[in-house]
Amino acid sequence: MRLVLEALSKVYRDKAGQETTALADIHLVVEEEEFVAIVGPSGCGKSTLLSIVAGLTEATSGSVYFDGVLPGRTPRIGMVFQDHALFPWRTVQKNVEFGLEQVGVGKLERARRAREGLRKVGLQGFEDKYPHQLSGGMRQRVGIARALVIEPDLLLMDEPLSALDAQVRLLMQDELMQLWDSVRQKTLYVTHNIDEAVALADRVVVLSRRPGRIVKVIPIDVPRALRKQHAHQVRLMEYAEEIWQTIRRDAEAAFMEGVEDR
């Protein structure tokens, strides 16, 4: 089963009828067990694109569908948000169980699966804690466990590490990759951080300034397991530089205009 985005566009209209085109003519396929990162200047529509794929925002034109779905099966989508989006009144255990509740998993089974999900992200023993009792990195791990425990066909991640400090972010990148390698769901990952995209992704999709269009797709040919090795650092730096040079002019223009991401 693969994710297909076909001629996808999004136009926003304000109360005065003024139109802003956020995305224009996006064509993209995400294959099974593929990790695709999306980067681009502020305001290029990265988060809008993810929101459309998640079904939270309606596209103005074009389509999003899964190719190869078995008859009668509805694909499941797991999403990890930038601010973790945990329910403050629920314990860690109950936060992870939430998605399982929505798909009708029974009480005993969802408790078992939630505990297993927390074990995988290293949070066994924290089941009865509340979000405010956890560090930022721990809260984000709860969000990741919640998304993965439903066994999604597609994992969407919207700047999941951006709120963390630099050291924790690097540690979380390693943890995320180890966890992803154990499940290998196809993933669409939005980030501002070019080095992070190169470290994690099989392919990096580069969007232009608004309206967001795909201007380049860069395969990262260094095997993920070898990317920490010194011998491959120059090649990874070359990938990052290629991406930066692709978006630099748009990024500078967006910065001068004070454009916010959407």
Side-chain angles (χ1 to χ4, degrees):
M1 187 194 312
R2 58 183 190 161
L3 173 70
V4 180
L5 282 58
E6 200 167 82
L8 204 65
S9 296
K10 176 63 179 178
V11 178
Y12 289 99
R13 294 177 179 85
D14 63 21
K15 293 180 180 179
Q18 294 282 354
E19 294 187 347
T20 299
T21 302
L23 295 168
D25 198 33
I26 300 292
H27 292 261
L28 180 65
V29 174
V30 182
E31 300 289 350
E32 197 68 25
E33 298 189 3
E34 186 178 27
F35 194 118
V36 175
I38 301 176
V39 301
S42 293
C44 71
K46 299 186 293 294
S47 292
T48 296
L49 178 59
L50 219 63
S51 184
I52 291 171
V53 175
L56 303 175
T57 300
E58 187 175 349
T60 304
S61 60
S63 57
V64 178
Y65 62 92
F66 288 88
D67 184 29
V69 181
L70 295 174
R73 187 174 185 281
T74 301
R76 291 181 181 177
I77 297 176
M79 189 158 186
V80 181
F81 300 91
Q82 179 177 347
D83 61 355
H84 61 73
L86 301 180
F87 299 115
W89 59 88
R90 282 183 169 236
T91 64
V92 166
Q93 171 83 20
K94 293 299 183 183
N95 264 287
V96 176
E97 286 185 24
F98 178 75
L100 297 170
E101 293 175 22
Q102 303 308 300
V103 297
V105 176
K107 183 177 180 178
L108 292 178
E109 176 61 11
R110 68 176 182 253
R112 184 194 67 78
R113 287 170 62 175
R115 286 194 299 269
E116 176 63 14
L118 288 168
R119 185 194 64 77
K120 287 181 178 179
V121 298
L123 289 177
Q124 63 272 33
F126 290 86
E127 292 86 353
D128 295 327
K129 300 294 185 182
Y130 286 86
H132 75 272
Q133 296 175 296
L134 305 180
S135 69
M138 293 167 76
R139 288 194 292 269
Q140 200 57 287
R141 278 189 275 168
V142 176
I144 292 169
R146 181 178 59 185
L148 290 177
V149 78
I150 64 170
E151 299 177 350
D153 298 290
L154 172 67
L155 182 61
L156 303 177
M157 308 187 84
D158 189 5
E159 296 274 6
L161 308 183
S162 64
L164 307 177
D165 67 45
Q167 292 179 357
V168 175
R169 186 168 188 156
L170 288 173
L171 292 171
M172 281 295 296
Q173 284 179 22
D174 290 342
E175 287 192 15
L176 179 60
M177 272 299 95
Q178 290 173 18
L179 186 61
W180 188 88
D181 277 335
S182 72
V183 293
R184 303 196 69 83
Q185 279 105 343
K186 55 185 165 293
T187 299
L188 207 52
Y189 186 100
V190 163
T191 181
H192 276 91
N193 190 305
I194 293 172
D195 290 333
E196 185 170 281
V198 170
L200 300 179
D202 297 303
R203 288 187 295 152
V204 178
V205 175
V206 184
L207 296 185
S208 69
R209 190 178 173 211
R210 184 179 297 158
R213 304 173 187 272
I214 294 177
V215 292
K216 186 174 283 191
V217 179
I218 301 173
I220 309 300
D221 292 331
V222 177
R224 193 179 287 105
L226 303 180
R227 293 181 192 178
K228 293 291 184 181
Q229 295 183 7
H230 181 74
H232 299 286
Q233 293 308 299
V234 171
R235 184 68 186 117
L236 295 176
M237 290 172 63
E238 290 172 349
Y239 283 126
E241 180 66 13
E242 180 182 359
I243 294 167
W244 172 236
Q245 291 305 325
T246 301
I247 67 174
R248 180 172 182 169
R249 200 167 283 180
D250 280 352
E252 289 173 344
F255 174 74
M256 294 301 295
E257 292 179 6
V259 173
E260 295 183 0
D261 216 354
R262 192 177 198 179

